[in-house]
Amino acid sequence: MLTLFSSVKGDPPVALVTGGSRGIGAGIACGFASAGARVAVNFTQPSEGLRETMRRIRESGAEAMEAQADVADSAQVNAMVEGVIRGFGRIDTVVLNAGICPFMDFLEMPEDLWDRVMDVNLKGSFLVGQAVARHMVQRGGGGRVVAVGSISSLVGGTKQAHYCSSKAGQNLLIKSMALSLAPYGITCNSVLPGTVETDINREALKDETLRARLVAGTPVGRLGCPQDIVGAVLYLASEEAAWTTGSLVVVDGGATSTLQ
Ligand code: NAD
Ligand code: RM4
């Protein structure tokens, strides 16, 4: 049985999950709630997904708060982090999950699309990671930073030059943060999912040829669901993971283990 990390022993831990209103982030937010944490759910715009996620968290008996911010905007990020600290007193774990992947051929890719993907996926991880880490250091240290990366940080992808590059950058951001923050008892790791069917790729996966190719390339024999990712994130947010830092944990049904 794992124990989620809490900087105040005996007090329920506090987790902030970016992009927590739907998809993998919603699964992670609900996973923290079921494991006894108080959860701040970051989102950009109010949505049915946000209301549903807040309802699921509260249904499991946990406290939840909304934390609005575009992760690519430093002023909004700082206001969000301050708001969560005001609301819950502190942050013990931050999950850097917010991300976008507007599929586009390399030859067609406009500069502003490249910039936006970098801003959300890479700069957003830096801004939120730094703001929360500064708070963790200020409150005396101890903490967990868990990024949701991607197997697309390890291999290229058609229509994903911006996304793969942003996720590869995020891997080394996390490793660099792990070095800087180790003296403060703050661990920094990434979970790298394979293909999980969510809003980010639902349209692309309507292409049956693509879907069949992805399933065939996944030894476990199916695409992932958000729940497949939650356990690895909770482990990295646990007390027991104190000696795990700078790690990239692949959770992909075996996809990157085969050339099929
Ligand atoms: P999703 O589109 O359902 O969720 C993405 C979330 O990020 C949404 O809640 C969205 O509102 C939020 N977001 C987007 N831009 C934001 C911004 N500027 N500020 C704050 N929040 C923002 O897709 P998902 O699959 O759940 O993606 C979650 C993470 O998982 C992403 O980082 C994605 O790259 C990663 N990932 C997904 C897959 C997959 O196959 N679905 C695979 C590997 C990694
Ligand atoms: C993943 C992987 C998936 C894609 C998502 C958006 O990392 O590349 O195939 O659907 O990103």
Side-chain angles (χ1 to χ4, degrees):
M1 174 73 169
L2 298 174
T3 308
L4 288 180
F5 171 81
S6 173
S7 58
V8 180
K9 298 303 154 218
D11 205 40
V14 177
L16 165 62
V17 182
T18 68
S21 65
R22 66 173 199 235
I24 294 172
I28 292 168
C30 293
F32 271 100
S34 299
R38 292 174 283 166
V39 188
V41 178
N42 159 253
F43 65 102
T44 47
Q45 297 298 329
S47 64
E48 192 44 50
L50 174 67
R51 281 186 288 279
E52 172 66 9
T53 304
M54 299 300 283
R55 189 189 61 72
R56 283 171 61 199
I57 292 172
R58 289 179 177 137
E59 213 171 63
S60 65
E63 281 180 67
M65 74 175 279
E66 297 180 358
Q68 188 167 16
D70 176 341
V71 297
D73 181 316
S74 57
Q76 292 186 34
V77 165
N78 290 334
M80 169 184 74
V81 170
E82 283 163 21
V84 176
I85 296 165
R86 258 198 318 278
F88 280 155
R90 64 181 197 278
I91 298 169
D92 296 312
T93 292
V94 62
V95 182
L96 306 172
N97 166 79
I100 56 172
C101 182
F103 295 95
M104 175 80 64
D105 280 320
F106 171 70
L107 290 173
E108 309 299 325
M109 194 173 283
E111 182 180 350
D112 61 349
L113 196 70
W114 171 276
D115 286 345
R116 184 62 187 159
V117 172
M118 287 293 165
D119 281 355
V120 175
N121 297 1
L122 182 53
K123 192 172 89 173
S125 298
F126 163 68
L127 292 175
V128 179
Q130 187 189 55
V132 174
R134 283 177 172 165
H135 152 70
M136 288 172 170
V137 169
Q138 216 168 20
R139 64 157 167 64
R144 300 282 182 266
V145 178
V146 185
V148 178
S150 172
I151 58 168
S152 297
S153 64
L154 307 175
V155 291
T158 55
K159 305 188 179 184
Q160 287 178 296
H162 46 11
Y163 180 79
C164 296
S165 306
S166 71
K167 292 291 185 176
Q170 189 195 43
N171 287 354
L172 287 185
L173 167 68
I174 289 297
K175 283 180 180 283
S176 302
M177 287 173 64
L179 302 184
S180 293
L181 299 175
Y184 301 99
I186 301 166
T187 65
C188 304
N189 297 284
S190 283
V191 175
L192 312 188
T195 303
V196 175
E197 191 164 1
T198 66
D199 287 356
I200 208 170
N201 53 21
R202 217 174 296 286
E203 200 52 42
L205 290 173
K206 283 183 183 159
D207 177 343
E208 288 301 332
T209 313
L210 172 68
R211 176 188 288 273
R213 186 164 57 73
L214 288 168
V215 174
T218 306
V220 165
R222 62 170 175 84
L223 300 184
C225 61
Q227 202 54 37
D228 289 318
I229 309 306
V230 175
V233 174
L234 293 184
Y235 164 67
L236 293 170
S238 72
E239 290 281 0
E240 288 77 1
W243 208 60
T244 304
T245 199
S247 293
L248 308 176
V249 181
V250 173
V251 181
D252 70 347
T256 50
S257 298
T258 173
L259 286 175
Q260 288 301 305

